Amino acid sequence: MGANHHHETFPWKHIVGFILSLVLTFAALWIAFSSGLATKAILVGIVVLAVLQAVLQLFMFMHVTESDSGKIQTINMAYSFFIAIVVVAGSIWTMAFVL
Amino acid sequence: MKWSEFFVTGEPLIYAADVSIVLTMIGIVFVLTYFKKWKWLWNEWLTTVDHKKIGVMYIISAVLMLFRGGVDALLMRAQLTAPNMKFLDSQHYNEIFTTHGTIMILFMAMPFIIGLMNIVVPLQIGARDVAYPYLNAISFWLFFVGAMLFNIAFVIGGSPDAGWTAYFPLAGNEFSPGVGNNYYAVALQISGIGTLMTGINFLVTILKMRAPGMTLMRMPMFTWTILITCVLIIFAFPVLTVALALMTFDRLFDTQFFTMANGGMSMLWANLFWIWGHPEVYIVILPSFGIFSEVVSTFARKRLFGYKAMVYSIVGIAFLSFIVWVHHFFTMGAGAAVNSFFSITTMAIAVPTGVKIFNWLFTLRKGRIRFTTAMLWSLAFIPNFVIGGVTGVMLAMAAADYQYHNSYFLIAHFHYVLIAGTVFACFAGLHYWYPKMFGHILNERLGKWTFWLFMIGFNICFFPMYFLGLMGMTRRMYTYSAGLGWTPLNVVASVGAALMGIGFIVLCYNIYYSARYGERDMTGDPWDGRTLEWATSSPVAHYNFAVIPEVKDLDAYWEMKKSGKGFEIDEEKLKPIHMPSNSGRPFLISIAFFFAGFGLVFKWFTLAIIAAVFIILGLILRSFDDDDGYYISVDEIKRTERLTGKGA
């Protein structure tokens, strides 16, 4: 915990984060089921919304800015993104010949 | 289900195993009752959250599993010694190589390494326990029940038989209809959860609980390798978790993720398995590098050469380990671009590994070398591992791999890296840190007997396999005809395997002998060590350090000794020590996991659901647990410290 961190009496941050998460989730649902867009556009839309929500949750719920080990957190997240890309893109690339 | 389907029947070897299992169980119950040890077992071991005791239990389990996996290996060698042997039929052989591989990697190598890291890491960083002692107990018990669940498969329900890689479509319902591969999916899942939690636990421990003054670049090399290993565990194991979950769905609920029909992708299993599987081999080899670094530097009486280069090369290996997995299936047909990429990344791993080899050699250079058993294992590691590494580079060439793939050349290669790397390291670490665990030294003479028997046996067993591979013998074949000319080398290999078995027996005898007659370690520093674990008494007081040491340099304890003071405890500075309370819940939750797993294996969902309710109940009870641990009084600390001669 940072030295200048103080506890809020009411968890506004969490409430706002929760509502925004709900909005983003329902937006994704709407895009997928009722927007009538092309499949590609739907995929792009929900991926963008998912990334937005991940970032939102990192700041609203995961206290990414409040810890004193910021460097470790940054390296950790960068590495996570790297691994995620390796696993997903790498699998698609290596499996492309059977797809 | 009939009883004759529930129990495996029809094989004399299986009946013999049944009898020995029942006799062993009766024996254990009898001994515990006769010596009135049930209470001791519960209070001292089953409920413990002490990282040292958990480490000891990990190592005991690992040695037991080494026995199981070793017996599997000897059965395979017996079958392959002569052509057209009728000792094992093909199905039985399939089961045995499957359990051999799975057990040796996941239930022998992993727990041995995790056991050593449990015992050593908190001591090396000057901490009193791990970050989450309760979680640590859960980790151990989940591993343990996972291992037990996997181990009963061969007598109850039928053993998994699709290889330790469990490739689809063979491992799917269509070709493996029995419960055997359900065991694989469920047991690995349960112990995998335990491993994942260990990774998180030790990452936090190392990042947050180091003694004052111990910067990252002053950490002992073993701790460094464990830190990086934890990162690998945290990023690699979720892939296994997901892959196993999909496998479980395919097998229990007839989903079609990896099937041949209905849009399933059987090769995706191989892909996911090795995305986890390749980092996994670094999870067991990096800590081994750490152990060798500690042992070599201690017994050469020199600071580790190229500490920084060592750290960077570990990080480099860890990074590369995630982008090489396709080399396990070059022959799957992914095409030139994919194979070339993974071929190059694989060869690149040889660079940081080579850096490390040279660092050890330069640490030895002009060192005052003492040839203890731990040191012998470490010295033997270097040439043997290099043989494994060089043949690894040969396998890394995708075009050439079409020749080597799944031949005995590959078998020889990965045994050379895994045995000469991990198993040698486990034995080196066991000898080296044994005084810290039990307060006495493992007998050196018997230790050297084990070393020579095992090391020579290992080379006699596996070196011929390179040639068998080049002669065309492929892995997993249960017999061969006489005309192929493979018989002489197979006989040689079996002789080597027998020598390794004898070496293992000598090791077990050594454990017994040393407990009875072994030299007690009164100093706490029998090897003239360099790192903080040697500043404690042997065996270590359960709070580890009466006063948390201050670290001024790498090789902290060595510097303390050099400055003439050693690690002195100022009794004035003692404060009550806060320790976590024991809890039986990790053990009980894990028992529930066992029954849930058993229910899933046999599709007895009522049992699985009831057991799952107990698991959730355990979690709820933990949430409302307000036991904050207890304090050890200053008087008690003084008494303990004076007893061990560390106090003033």
Side-chain angles (χ1 to χ4, degrees), chain B residues 156-171:
Chain B
I156 297 177
S159 180
D161 55 2
W164 91 279
T165 51
Y167 276 1
F168 279 82
L170 177 60

Side-chain angles (χ1 to χ4, degrees), chain B residues 59-60 63-64 66 112 427 430-431 434 437-438 440-443 446-447 450 503-518 520:
Chain B
I59 290 175
I60 292 172
V63 172
L64 284 175
L66 180 58
F112 216 128
F427 290 156
L430 187 69
H431 272 269
Y434 206 78
M437 305 175 208
F438 299 105
H440 59 267
I441 297 168
L442 267 182
N443 184 282
L446 287 170
T450 306
F504 177 75
I505 293 171
V506 176
L507 173 76
C508 294
Y509 176 68
N510 193 1
I511 290 172
Y512 161 79
Y513 178 88
S514 304
R516 287 202 69 168
Y517 312 108
R520 307 291 127 170

Side-chain angles (χ1 to χ4, degrees), chain A residues 90-99, chain B residues 265 267-268 271 329 332:
Chain A
S91 292
I92 291 172
W93 187 42
T94 53
M95 289 290 113
F97 75 105
V98 272
L99 280 174
Chain B
M265 273 177 80
M267 285 172 184
L268 185 59
N271 183 66
F329 45 86
M332 201 163 81

